[in-house]
Amino acid sequence: MTTTHPAPRPLDTAAGDGARSRLATARLYLCTDAREERGDLEDFLHAALAGGVDVVQLRDKGLDVARELELQETVARVATEHGALWAVNDRADVALLAGAPVVHMGQGDLPVPAVRSLLGAGPLLGRSTHSLAQAAAAEADPEVDYFCVGPLWATPTKPGRDAVGLDLLREVAASRPTTPWFAIGGVDPARLDQVLAAGAERIVVVRAITGSADPERAARELRERLPA
């Protein structure tokens, strides 16, 4: 049997410009697994995005590529319906095939020049950073559109990754980056005031919304506490 794959979708600069404008106003970024055991990914996304999530990323290391591409179709459709951005994690090939407006890379993933070589100028590119030097490098790189700082606290979604703590957040904030940046790692309603006091204005969350029985309310309560 011959397996067919979707043709790569165009990633054009005009689409990137629109996504960049949307990123400038983004404050709440959600990472979610595929929710395969619950079977409610689409309903969950509608609820979280209705509550005010600005960017949603499907991050599920247990998916094979075929299943991820299938689910990215759902993420793209729901995010577009709500006027939100959607991001592919780690995989430039999946981002290309899915036509993603955003692709996020960790420090151990493809370097920025390689991602741009594969994807061109169209999609926004995000980077994970875990030190002041890495944050400064992301800030200085014109090809990086946003970066995340963390994990602030140890979290089961990043096993083995040491927490960087709020001091790094304060140092990054004091450097006054012009690139949009997000605080990540263990951020929840109980810790949000500490994160904001340390200088962050944008956050990435996982369990604060995915673990809620009412994801729309959870998202709305977080979004209302973030700067306009």
Side-chain angles (χ1 to χ4, degrees):
M1 179 180 294
T2 301
T3 301
T4 59
H5 299 282
R9 299 179 184 179
L11 293 164
D12 59 69
T13 303
D17 289 343
R20 194 166 286 106
S21 297
R22 182 67 182 88
L23 178 66
T25 63
R27 297 292 181 270
L28 182 58
Y29 190 137
L30 169 65
C31 292
T32 181
D33 66 6
R35 301 176 73 87
E36 295 277 62
E37 292 183 0
R38 303 175 186 85
D40 67 346
L41 179 63
E42 183 167 349
D43 288 343
F44 167 77
L45 291 172
H46 275 297
L49 291 162
V53 166
D54 300 298
V55 188
V56 60
Q57 177 192 121
L58 176 63
R59 187 176 72 192
D60 193 324
K61 302 291 188 179
L63 297 175
D64 61 35
V65 175
R67 181 58 174 157
E68 180 171 356
L69 283 169
E70 180 182 354
L71 292 175
Q72 293 291 1
E73 293 278 354
T74 299
V75 177
R77 175 169 46 79
V78 177
T80 300
E81 181 177 331
H82 289 270
L85 293 173
W86 58 283
V88 167
N89 183 52
D90 292 350
R91 297 291 299 264
D93 55 345
V94 171
L96 179 62
L97 290 167
V102 183
V103 59
H104 187 88
M105 293 289 165
Q107 289 292 316
D109 298 324
L110 284 176
V112 172
V115 176
R116 286 301 184 204
S117 177
L118 288 169
L119 302 184
L124 303 186
L125 175 57
R127 289 283 276 174
S128 296
T129 69
H130 317 296
S131 69
L132 187 59
Q134 291 174 358
E139 163 71 2
D141 191 336
E143 299 296 339
V144 173
D145 296 289
Y146 75 90
F147 62 93
C148 298
V149 178
L152 301 180
W153 290 274
T155 168
T157 64
K158 288 290 183 179
R161 175 75 66 183
D162 291 336
V164 300
L166 291 171
D167 285 344
L168 177 58
L169 204 63
R170 296 184 186 99
E171 291 176 330
V172 172
S175 71
R176 298 186 180 277
T178 58
T179 302
W181 62 282
F182 295 78
I184 187 172
V187 181
D188 60 23
R191 292 166 167 165
L192 182 55
D193 285 345
Q194 298 177 67
V195 173
L196 296 175
E201 296 184 347
R202 297 174 171 87
I203 60 171
V204 180
V205 300
V206 183
R207 292 172 297 157
I209 295 177
T210 63
S212 174
D214 188 342
E216 181 174 351
R217 179 178 178 180
R220 181 171 292 111
E221 290 179 349
L222 286 167
R223 187 63 182 84
E224 288 176 350
R225 293 170 62 186
L226 295 168

